[in-house]
Amino acid sequence: MAAGGGTKAIVAALAANLTIAVLKFIAFFLTASSSMLAEAIHSVADSGNQLLLLVGGKRAKRAASPEHPFGYGRERYIYAFIVSIVLFSVGGLFALYEAFEKFQHPHGIEGDFWWVPLAVLVGAIIAEGFSFRTAIIESNHIRGKQTWVKFVRNAKQPELPVILLEDFGALLGLVFALFGVSMTLVTGDGIWDAFGTAMIGLLLVAIAIVLAMETKSLLLGESATKEDVQRITEALEADGTHIIHLKTMHLGPEELLVAAKISMGASETGQEIAKGIDDAEQRIRAAVPIARVIYLEPDIERVQAQQA
């Protein structure tokens, strides 16, 4: 569900951004508004980012190989990290550069097409609103009772948090652009247009930094959620087994590595130990289906060893 929901949200965002980008470029060519140019580049960057997420999702499905025995699940994290770089450079830095140029050479919005930016921005807000709504609906399937901040920080599937932040940033950016263009039309002073562009740039840089930090954590290798760790612990201890230590790590959004050292009786035979490990693996997979790679090491606790 997570993967399908993420793809649905990506496709919805991609369709909206491609359409909006064309309209914004038309508005820029007709009015020379820097806010419209910044927003057009923003939509192009977002469209490219969504394509990157789709490519990452497809490449992550490749089967494991001798060179990559744990598979390619983390490719989704790599492409999400690239998205943050694109958003920072192509979106944020370009908008800040355009704002600086407009502050140096401000000019109002004149001519018969003064209304075009307003119409495009209002239409874009409506379209982005539908895209954002789709992302929210799909995220709610896996968010549970978490707050939105915790969901973005704790999600192991990078696509939905990326789309959520992009759509949220796009809506705020459109509001900033609408403010800048409206004030420029009212006052005739292009400084307002430059101000709106600068706000868009700062917003995109901030979102890119948040995305980079979160995807960096995923790339380094995050453990299972507290809930999944608790389920794994309960599954292991269901037959009285004692856990000496337990470690988990996500190999991808839907693939979890579980490694544990567990206690075994000093008098147990090799066959009994093997059966105990097999049973424990079955319980873990039943409790946490994404636990696909499990390594259990039998050991004898020190207390038992001393008694022996």
Side-chain angles (χ1 to χ4, degrees):
M1 181 181 292
T7 301
K8 183 177 180 180
I10 294 170
V11 172
L14 178 60
N17 279 310
L18 286 175
T19 303
I20 293 169
V22 173
L23 295 176
K24 289 175 180 176
F25 273 119
I26 293 174
F28 164 70
F29 287 127
L30 293 176
T31 63
S33 166
S34 65
S35 291
M36 293 308 304
L37 179 58
E39 273 298 304
I41 297 299
H42 178 190
S43 293
V44 170
D46 281 353
S47 298
N49 289 341
Q50 280 121 36
L51 288 173
L52 285 171
L53 292 175
L54 289 174
V55 170
K58 183 176 181 180
R59 291 180 62 84
K61 294 178 181 179
R62 290 179 294 167
S65 65
E67 293 80 12
H68 298 88
F70 291 109
Y72 295 83
R74 287 196 184 182
E75 286 231 32
R76 289 166 67 179
Y77 300 152
I78 293 172
Y79 278 83
F81 187 76
I82 295 173
V83 163
S84 68
I85 297 173
V86 172
L87 195 63
F88 179 83
S89 56
V90 178
L93 294 186
F94 178 84
L96 291 175
Y97 170 77
E98 184 64 22
F100 176 77
E101 288 293 316
K102 194 62 178 286
F103 275 121
Q104 298 295 314
H105 310 286
H107 59 81
I109 299 175
E110 301 175 354
D112 296 334
F113 298 103
W114 59 268
W115 55 272
V116 172
L118 298 178
V120 168
L121 289 171
V122 171
I125 288 174
I126 294 173
E128 286 288 359
F130 279 110
S131 175
F132 191 40
R133 177 176 176 272
T134 300
I136 289 175
I137 291 174
E138 297 303 325
S139 297
N140 280 333
H141 291 320
I142 59 175
R143 183 171 67 94
K145 297 181 179 180
Q146 297 181 90
T147 64
W148 286 107
V149 173
K150 286 186 176 180
F151 173 69
V152 170
R153 297 202 62 183
N154 298 332
K156 308 304 180 184
Q157 299 84 6
E159 293 84 2
L160 285 174
V162 168
I163 294 299
L164 278 170
L165 288 175
E166 278 192 350
D167 285 351
F168 178 70
L171 282 172
L172 275 183
L174 288 167
V175 172
F176 294 158
L178 184 61
F179 171 77
V181 170
S182 299
M183 291 301 296
T184 299
L185 289 172
V186 170
T187 64
D189 190 348
I191 289 294
W192 289 105
D193 194 19
F195 182 68
T197 306
M199 292 174 68
I200 294 169
L202 292 173
L203 171 68
L204 294 181
V205 168
I207 291 176
I209 291 173
V210 171
L211 284 178
M213 292 174 62
E214 294 305 318
T215 51
K216 173 191 172 185
S217 178
L218 291 170
L219 279 171
L220 289 174
E222 287 190 355
S223 65
T225 62
K226 292 181 179 179
E227 293 78 12
D228 281 348
V229 171
Q230 181 62 31
R231 294 188 189 102
I232 292 169
T233 300
E234 291 174 354
L236 278 172
E237 295 178 340
D239 66 343
T241 297
H242 176 68
I243 300 173
I244 300 173
H245 65 70
L246 169 67
K247 294 183 180 180
T248 62
M249 184 174 68
H250 270 271
L251 300 174
E254 286 91 29
E255 189 169 12
L256 186 66
L257 167 68
V258 178
K261 180 178 283 190
I262 56 178
S263 65
M264 292 288 180
S267 60
E268 290 188 54
T269 65
Q271 185 176 0
E272 290 172 336
I273 292 174
K275 185 179 185 305
I277 290 176
D278 290 341
D279 292 344
E281 289 179 353
Q282 291 179 8
R283 294 196 302 272
I284 291 173
R285 290 193 173 95
V288 182
I290 65 171
R292 298 178 185 174
V293 182
I294 303 174
Y295 295 108
L296 299 179
E297 178 186 354
D299 200 354
I300 300 175
E301 291 189 82
R302 292 183 179 179
V303 174
Q304 293 175 324
Q306 290 172 358
Q307 290 175 349

